[in-house]
């Protein structure tokens, strides 16, 4: 069963979106008719199409094609340091970070680029990091039915660094562990050791 953020068509026109940007420019205290801002609404709307392209993507579809010819391979598969860019749904400020994904296959695997695409499908939406972490793990669990799934997300939230408390250099870490990663401390420790090694190497 797919999650509740399946693709949907926006009911707002491009012209309406551009006018909303002009309203925000006026609210900020500037004049959207001055030369430097004349094309800003078009640029912002175009940027939004890119930043929030995840709403037009179905993450489950990326994992629909799996491979079962793995010669009995049943050890952990880990994809580390998947970079992502998202936006906080509370302040619309950027969240920049990395995702680490691991799973224990139960007879089938998926192309690793598809895992990165799943991350993008959820990251390119207005997000809460905790929710995004669970969404990525749930998608992998639904598609592959593995013995276990582990997802760790690191993120720097500009809603905290550029406003409010103005604390820089602070990152948030969230995790979702399913199946054997939740139940078996040794499996969980092995995964965390893999990603800790990656972090030390940066």
């Amino acid at each position: 069963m797919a999650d509740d953020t399946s693709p949907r068509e926006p009911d707002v026109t491009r012209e309406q979106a551009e006018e909303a940007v002009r309203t925000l420019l006026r609210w900020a205290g500037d004049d959207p008719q001055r030369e430097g801002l004349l094309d800003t609404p078009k640029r912002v709307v175009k940027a939004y199409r890119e930043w929030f392209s995840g709403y037009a993507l179905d993450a489950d579809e990326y994992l629909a094609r799996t491979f079962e010819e793995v010669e009995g391979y049943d050890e952990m598969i880990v994809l580390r340091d998947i970079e992502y860019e998202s936006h906080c749904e509370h302040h619309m400020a950027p969240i920049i970070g990395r995702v680490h994904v691991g799973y224990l296959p139960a007879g089938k695997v998926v192309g690793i680029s598809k895992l990165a695409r799943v991350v993008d499908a959820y990251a390119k939406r207005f997000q809460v990091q905790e929710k995004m972490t669970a969404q990525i793990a749930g998608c992998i669990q639904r598609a592959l039915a593995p013995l276990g799934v582990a997802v760790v997300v690191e993120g720097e939230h500009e809603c905290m660094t550029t406003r409010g408390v103005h604390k820089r250099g602070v990152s948030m870490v969230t995790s979702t562990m399913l199946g054997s990663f939740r139940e078996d401390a040794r499996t969980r420790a092995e995964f965390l050791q893999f990603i800790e090694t990656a972090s030390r190497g940066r």
Side-chain angles (χ1 to χ4, degrees):
M1 180 181 177
D3 64 274
D4 61 356
T5 53
S6 55
R8 56 189 179 278
E9 287 294 320
D11 57 359
V12 177
T13 68
R14 184 184 186 92
E15 291 74 20
Q16 288 173 322
E18 290 179 7
E19 186 56 38
V21 175
R22 292 186 190 96
T23 298
L24 286 174
L25 289 171
R26 287 192 292 269
W27 170 256
D30 216 318
D31 177 11
Q33 297 304 314
R34 71 175 176 83
E35 183 181 6
L37 294 178
L38 277 176
D39 290 330
T40 295
K42 291 180 181 178
R43 295 189 189 104
V44 171
V45 169
K46 183 178 180 181
Y48 262 52
R49 281 291 191 195
E50 180 179 346
W51 289 336
F52 304 108
S53 58
Y55 287 112
L57 302 175
D58 185 342
D60 288 78
E61 283 190 7
Y62 284 129
L63 303 186
R65 184 183 180 192
T66 59
F67 305 94
E68 298 184 12
E69 294 182 9
V70 293
E71 299 295 332
Y73 183 86
D74 60 358
E75 297 294 327
M76 190 181 303
I77 296 171
V78 178
L79 192 61
R80 308 180 301 195
D81 292 329
I82 306 168
E83 295 182 347
Y84 76 91
E85 302 159 359
S86 190
H87 285 76
C88 160
E89 68 179 41
H90 299 141
H91 299 95
M92 300 170 69
I95 307 170
I96 310 294
R98 298 172 185 267
V99 178
H100 312 284
V101 173
Y103 69 95
L104 272 172
K108 57 184 177 180
V109 299
V110 70
I112 59 174
S113 67
K114 304 303 184 184
L115 295 174
R117 290 184 183 278
V118 166
V119 170
D120 273 349
Y122 288 116
K124 290 182 180 299
R125 306 176 185 188
F126 287 112
Q127 274 294 5
V128 174
Q129 185 174 319
E130 297 91 332
K131 181 174 72 173
M132 185 176 80
T133 307
Q135 287 174 327
I136 294 167
C139 181
I140 297 169
Q141 182 65 42
R142 288 191 301 274
L144 300 181
L147 300 177
V149 178
V151 176
V152 171
V153 178
E154 306 170 23
E156 293 190 12
H157 294 240
E158 292 196 18
C159 59
M160 180 177 179
T161 62
T162 63
R163 58 161 299 282
V165 295
H166 290 274
K167 298 298 181 185
R168 296 189 176 277
V170 177
S171 62
M172 178 177 174
V173 180
T174 51
S175 68
T176 294
M177 305 285 170
L178 303 177
S180 56
F181 288 92
R182 176 185 287 271
E183 299 160 3
D184 189 333
R186 292 173 300 177
T187 301
R188 183 166 60 252
E190 182 181 356
F191 170 73
L192 294 175
Q193 184 177 17
F194 276 142
I195 66 174
E196 182 183 351
T197 301
S199 297
R200 285 202 300 263
R202 291 205 290 270

